[in-house]
Amino acid sequence: IQVLQKQGVKAAQKLFSSATILNIGLLVIAGIFIVITAPIYLQVIASGFSSQKLGLTLNLLLIIAPTIVLSGILEIWGAVFNARERFALFALVPIITPLVSVILLFGFKSWGIFALAAAIFCGALVEMMILGVGLYKQGISLYPKWYGLESNLRQDGNQYAPMIAGSLMICSAGTIDQVMAAMLSPGS
């Protein structure tokens, strides 16, 4: 918002493009790390799972892992909508994934739980397409380009540290719940 108001649309577009590239890079690294280390941490998190259930969990993780990147892009694009005070589309788009989930769960019953994993991925893709069209209609280029670590991007990066720390704390609560639940016997 500050860059848009003080430096104009062109500077805001440069910040958006560079931030998108940087975030995609970091999210790809995080996604690869999550997938590569999954066999290690899943044994700890899901210590009560049988080897068959643990294998299923790993397969489901592999299906939904790309949504790490897609969700990150959605959040960046959502920030642009919010900065331009266009709140409605970004507020309504999250209903897409549950709708896709219902459609795939009922339409592809033979897929079982894999229908839900596919729905998470497909829902994120559909959400991305809708937001992408919305940004395009506002004249915002979705083609990311790297402009280097300019001052606006560094300032933006300084704001990420507290946000990441807060996100890790919030997300760890759910992980702790899942670890404890995985230790229980089925049906308890």
Side-chain angles (χ1 to χ4, degrees), residues 8-170:
V9 174
K10 190 172 183 175
Q13 178 68 52
K14 285 174 68 174
L15 175 60
F16 170 67
S17 293
S18 293
T20 300
I21 290 283
L22 187 60
N23 279 301
I24 288 172
L26 292 173
L27 291 168
V28 166
I29 291 168
I32 290 170
F33 178 77
I34 288 169
V35 168
I36 289 173
T37 59
I40 298 166
Y41 68 78
L42 281 180
Q43 288 181 353
V44 175
I45 292 174
S47 61
F49 285 10
S50 67
S51 61
Q52 183 181 15
K53 193 172 185 181
L54 196 60
L56 175 63
T57 303
L58 181 60
N59 288 335
L60 292 170
L61 175 70
L62 293 174
I63 293 169
I64 65 171
T67 60
I68 294 168
V69 176
L70 298 179
S71 296
I73 293 170
L74 286 169
E75 289 302 316
I76 294 167
W77 290 1
V80 173
F81 277 98
N82 290 338
R84 291 177 163 248
E85 296 183 1
R86 312 245 175 174
F87 306 108
L89 186 61
F90 184 59
L92 292 173
V93 158
I95 199 159
I96 299 295
T97 298
L99 289 174
V100 171
S101 297
V102 169
I103 292 167
L104 289 182
L105 284 171
F106 286 109
F108 296 89
K109 290 181 182 181
S110 63
W111 289 12
I113 191 68
F114 290 101
L116 184 58
I120 291 169
F121 177 74
C122 292
L125 277 177
V126 172
E127 288 179 24
M128 207 169 125
M129 286 187 280
I130 292 170
L131 287 182
V133 168
L135 288 174
Y136 181 78
K137 285 184 176 183
Q138 291 183 39
I140 297 170
S141 173
L142 299 177
Y143 181 74
K145 183 177 178 187
W146 181 248
Y147 292 97
L149 287 172
E150 60 182 350
S151 63
N152 290 329
L153 187 59
R154 284 194 303 274
Q155 180 183 1
D156 195 35
N158 291 336
Q159 296 171 356
Y160 271 85
M163 186 179 74
I164 290 171
S167 293
L168 287 174
M169 289 178 67
I170 290 170

